[in-house]
Amino acid sequence: MSGQVVVVGAGLAGAKTVEGLRERGYDGRVVLLGSETERPYERPPLSKGYLQGGEERDGAFVHPADWYAAHDVDLRLGTTVASIDLAARDVLDGSGSRTAWDHLVLATGSEPRRLDVPGAGLQGVVHLRTLDDSDRLRALLVAGKHVVVVGGGWIGLEVAAAARAAGCTVSVLVRDPLPLLGVLGPELAAMFAELHRENGVDLRTRTEVAELVAAGDGTHVGAVELADGTLVDADLVVVGIGAAPRVALAKAAGLHVEDGVVVDAHLRSSNPHVLAVGDIARAHHPLLGTHVRVEHWANALNQPATAAATIVGADEPYERLPYFFTDQFDLGMEYAGYVGSHGYDEVVVRGDLQARELVAFWRRDGRVLAGMNVNVWDVVDDVQALIRSRAVIDHDRLADPDVPLVDLL
């Protein structure tokens, strides 16, 4: 297993890839290239525990500082890759240096989408993607500040919860009738809307941002103007309108790119010596029978083991179900599964929706596609087993909390 593996992207996915290679006994050279100056870290704490003040900064890092040298990993931080040459099998970085590879792993992640309105470049308009972003945002969440969050996805709602915990006045602006509508559907999205309103968030739905208005100094944001002319006071605007996969390198190199880098179940791209992991990987899923791209921590954590296995010649396709979690106010939840483009027929709730203690199941043709446990714990493995079984399950038994989930299989 000699040769050289180059990993582009030094986030969680990149760090776990080099870890997986060493655990698999790969004894060739391993190079990990990252554009940031921080060593690899995980992103969930940026909008959860660290931002909320419950976790220490060092807890976000994937490995101790000396791990990379101890495992003979050539970690090059502050290094931006400019291009990939598939024929020559090397990468060109911003300094003009070329690094050869026998296998290349792309772990370039995603980047926040920008708000395309007048005033988007004012001071006090922030995005949350990096550890530095979280550091700055954490310092800005001061009691009494007017914080406006644009976007009602997971990041936006987690930031809103952190801002309320810090004593800020918080408004959340959402284009849809409900936050998380496209992810959860109306049945469960309404629960999150009620959660935030109960905790003092000014949640405004069906809103469009027309402009970010400068304060009296002309340089700092002072308000958000909506399409109907309404002004919402803002000392700070957090833009959380989604992310886009960083696929420019892959596309320029001629790899198959379609909503991410298209890879097989072993995470091989259209060039079998180039793999993709994490946010950018649109991977064929053997169970789901389709290509899936998921921007969640669990993919960045778990896909690298498959990539490492592929590189050393093992036949271990990536078969884990999509999974994510969130913590907001007094609500904690885990979601597993994949509804897909065909949608669902119904949502079955087992438990108390009003008390927000439940397990919800998204079904189509009587089969469970996805499940979400809210303030109910130690059931995610059983939920995933139901999904994997692809069994037609009786509605009433599925909804009955007195029937153990394992008895439904």
Side-chain angles (χ1 to χ4, degrees):
M1 291 185 289
S2 60
Q4 179 156 291
V5 176
V6 173
V7 181
V8 180
L12 173 61
K16 296 301 285 187
T17 298
V18 300
E19 177 185 305
L21 286 167
R22 290 309 188 211
E23 287 182 346
R24 287 278 178 168
Y26 182 81
D27 58 5
R29 292 198 64 210
V30 175
V31 182
L32 178 57
L33 307 175
S35 59
E36 294 185 50
T37 56
E38 298 278 4
R39 72 181 189 273
Y41 57 85
E42 301 191 38
R43 298 194 187 276
L46 275 56
S47 62
K48 295 182 175 73
Y50 177 60
L51 183 64
Q52 296 170 7
E55 298 177 10
E56 296 299 322
R57 192 178 193 274
D58 283 352
F61 292 107
V62 182
H63 299 116
D66 60 357
W67 185 92
Y68 300 93
H71 290 81
D72 196 20
V73 173
D74 182 2
L75 175 61
R76 303 179 193 173
L77 299 176
T79 302
T80 300
V81 173
S83 64
I84 299 165
D85 189 327
L86 298 180
R89 289 198 189 178
D90 65 21
V91 297
L92 174 69
D93 65 38
S95 71
S97 298
R98 292 188 176 274
T99 304
W101 47 267
D102 296 285
H103 283 92
L104 176 69
V105 182
L106 299 178
T108 47
S110 55
E111 57 186 337
R113 298 185 187 276
R114 305 290 164 169
L115 196 60
D116 185 18
V117 298
L122 289 169
Q123 295 177 24
V125 179
V126 301
H127 299 79
L128 180 56
R129 182 62 188 173
T130 68
L131 188 52
D132 284 346
D133 291 338
S134 190
D135 286 338
R136 288 192 293 269
L137 184 55
R138 182 171 166 168
L140 291 169
L141 295 181
V142 177
K145 291 276 190 180
H146 291 266
V147 178
V148 175
V149 178
V150 180
W154 298 114
I155 296 295
L157 295 186
E158 288 172 358
V159 169
R164 284 297 296 141
C168 301
T169 299
V170 180
S171 297
V172 175
L173 309 179
V174 184
R175 297 178 63 179
D176 291 329
L178 290 166
L180 303 171
L181 184 60
V183 180
L184 301 180
E187 300 89 348
L188 275 299
M191 178 181 67
F192 280 90
E194 293 164 4
L195 171 72
H196 279 258
R197 285 177 172 138
E198 288 176 10
N199 283 277
V201 173
D202 173 24
L203 175 63
R204 305 191 187 196
T205 58
R206 296 185 174 92
T207 61
E208 291 279 353
V209 175
E211 183 176 353
L212 303 185
V213 181
D217 63 3
T219 61
H220 196 281
V221 69
V224 178
E225 182 178 348
L226 306 183
D228 63 3
T230 301
L231 289 176
V232 182
D233 289 341
D235 300 306
L236 174 68
V237 174
V238 182
V239 180
I241 56 174
R246 290 187 174 119
V247 295
L249 281 173
K251 191 171 184 178
L255 297 173
H256 184 190
V257 172
E258 185 178 344
D259 183 32
V261 180
V262 179
V263 295
D264 64 14
H266 295 83
L267 305 180
R268 293 176 295 225
S269 73
S270 52
N271 182 311
H273 298 282
V274 181
L275 295 83
V277 293
D279 287 3
I280 67 166
R282 184 165 172 256
H284 184 267
H285 197 287
L287 175 67
L288 301 175
T290 188
H291 282 80
V292 177
R293 187 178 71 83
V294 180
E295 294 173 0
H296 292 306
W297 161 86
N299 261 24
L301 178 70
N302 297 312
Q303 280 187 342
T306 293
T310 299
I311 289 171
V312 301
D315 181 13
E316 297 179 14
Y318 188 74
E319 300 179 318
R320 287 178 179 263
L321 289 168
Y323 166 90
F324 63 90
F325 69 99
T326 192
D327 296 299
Q328 300 171 33
F329 301 112
D330 61 352
L331 182 151
M333 80 79 162
E334 300 172 286
Y335 179 106
Y338 181 74
V339 171
S341 60
H342 296 295
Y344 61 94
D345 298 332
E346 64 173 346
V347 176
V348 178
V349 174
R350 130 180 323 228
D352 191 334
L353 184 59
Q354 295 303 314
R356 295 194 278 267
E357 293 184 5
L358 65 127
V359 185
F361 302 93
W362 285 259
R363 300 207 309 170
R364 185 172 64 242
D365 299 328
R367 295 178 173 85
V368 175
L369 305 175
M372 180 175 74
N373 48 296
V374 179
N375 291 336
V376 174
W377 305 111
D378 301 322
V379 297
V380 71
D381 288 344
D382 294 336
V383 169
Q384 293 196 35
L386 287 178
I387 298 168
R388 289 185 175 279
S389 75
R390 309 182 77 172
V392 175
I393 299 171
D394 178 75
H395 176 285
D396 293 342
R397 285 170 56 79
L398 185 62
D400 188 349
D402 292 330
V403 178
L405 293 177
V406 293
D407 290 352
L408 298 174
L409 295 174

